[in-house]
Amino acid sequence: MSYSYGSAKALTEVTFTVPSGQTVALLGANGAGKSTTVDLLLGLKRPETGTVTVLNSTPQAAVAHGRTGAMLQTGGLPTDSTVKEIIDLACHLYGHRRTADEVIALAGLDDFRRRRADTLSGGQAQRVRFAVAMAGKPELLFLDEPTVALDFRARRQFWRAVKEEGNTVIFATHYLDEADEYADRIIVIDRGRVIADGPPQQIKGDKSLEYALVKLTGGTE
Amino acid sequence: MLAYTKFEVLRTLHNFRYLVFLVLMPVVFELIWGKQGQAVTAAMAVYAATGAGLIGSGSAIAEDRATGWLKQLRVTPLSDRAWLIGKIVQGVLTVIPGVLLVSVIGAVTTHVGRWPLLVAVTVAGSLPFVLIGVFAGTLFRGRTATIALVLVFFTMMFLGGVVGGETIWTLAPTHSLLTAGVGVLESRPIGAEALVNLAAWTVAAAVAVLLRWRRA
């Protein structure tokens, strides 16, 4: 698939297939095209050329049936709503596949139920967004830069919760270490193109990728 | 859609600015000036209906577009259509507290006997204002929408003669709603002119919303 913003080419013939159960990292620097890829996979944008198939249907249908969950990089939370209200809404929208209490426990939000979303710290807000993404027991989970607002310990906890679910995960990150540690497979995106695709060991060992990866190694706090 | 409407109603009821400017202010004005007669009660009910209608739903849309919550909602099973209807229904529902309080105070202080009719007319007549608010929310981003809607609100209040005494523009929807409100309190039938004008504003605002909302 390809996509442009006006005359700026964002993605050029990006092609990949993710088998069920795999955890895939879309690794690239800021502006490489990761978020555009996620938006296309979620049906928020339509590709100029090419097709996108998600869970054997269109992205729009997969989203409408609640088969996907997504944590977007630019996804904010509503002001004035409490954490509990947001999670109640999410559980309802996904047809009550989980109870609000289950989701709250899963995301570690027990102490924040009655807090208003606009009073949460970055890390706490991130957990609420994770809760919304998990409310429907998604077959396929999209995470766009999921741990940017999290410290080391919170990042570990976050990934433990994701892995316990055992669903297919596609996550965008600019941290090589995060991709290496949690992904079964890394797709490296650079300036809108896929420049490498393989298991972490292969990607890290690929000398021709050194230039692209050096930009990404400074990112782990 | 109902769950989403409920969510948005609760959210609006938590909003401090909504409670102060769109519920408390007309109530306080009614307590101060309501004794002057039924026309004041009708005017304050129109204030509450117009203000909450314009600002109560639309400004949150603009905010949600700016923060990214709208984008997050779009990757849940909530359909675009359910979202739009939910926001419009919420807009009309959150008009009720202000209008109801003003009318009940009117009933107690000046014995406005037909206050339930005033509530019904002003809540129903808030629809064009809700639609204008939703349109502005899909047109402007963030705080800009709220500022634009506050300006529209005061302009319409003055043009329609709801505040400031004289009516400057008889085709202002606020004027029609005031005419209807005063009419039901005085046991007069609502004139066709007011109804046709409110209907025309509703249709125009609905068309504007339909042309614009998918690009929000």
Side-chain angles (χ1 to χ4, degrees), chain A residues 64 70 74 76 79-80 85 92 116, chain B residues 3 11 14-15 63 67-68 72 77:
Chain A
T74 52
T79 48
D80 301 317
E85 285 165 0
H92 191 94
R116 301 231 182 149
Chain B
R11 177 182 175 193
H14 290 166
N15 186 293
E63 200 178 83
T67 62
Q72 186 69 53

Side-chain angles (χ1 to χ4, degrees), chain A residues 43-177:
Chain A
L44 289 169
K45 296 183 168 75
R46 286 170 196 275
E48 284 166 358
T49 61
T51 53
V52 182
T53 303
V54 175
L55 303 167
N56 299 317
S57 68
T58 63
Q60 286 82 4
V63 168
H65 292 120
R67 300 177 67 194
T68 59
M71 220 175 126
L72 301 172
Q73 190 181 10
T74 52
L77 293 175
T79 48
D80 301 317
S81 294
T82 67
V83 169
K84 176 72 164 47
E85 285 165 0
I86 294 169
I87 290 171
D88 279 341
L89 174 69
C91 290
H92 191 94
L93 293 178
Y94 284 101
H96 301 287
R97 291 178 205 163
R98 279 201 161 104
T99 65
D101 286 339
E102 264 175 72
V103 176
I104 284 168
L106 178 92
L109 286 165
D110 221 8
D111 298 337
F112 306 104
R113 283 169 187 260
R114 297 170 70 89
R115 281 275 291 278
R116 301 231 182 149
D118 44 348
T119 67
L120 299 173
S121 72
Q124 291 157 359
Q126 197 84 322
R127 285 194 224 171
V128 177
R129 291 162 52 198
F130 178 59
V132 172
M134 298 300 261
K137 290 193 180 175
E139 294 164 56
L140 172 58
L141 181 64
F142 290 100
L143 306 166
D144 193 358
E145 299 282 3
T147 61
V148 163
L150 305 182
D151 60 29
F152 177 74
R153 207 168 62 93
R155 189 176 294 183
R156 292 286 292 269
Q157 277 176 350
F158 172 85
W159 276 108
R160 199 179 310 131
V162 172
K163 289 289 184 182
E164 272 172 17
E165 282 295 304
N167 40 16
T168 312
V169 180
I170 297 179
F171 73 100
T173 183
H174 61 275
Y175 299 139
L176 175 61
D177 287 359

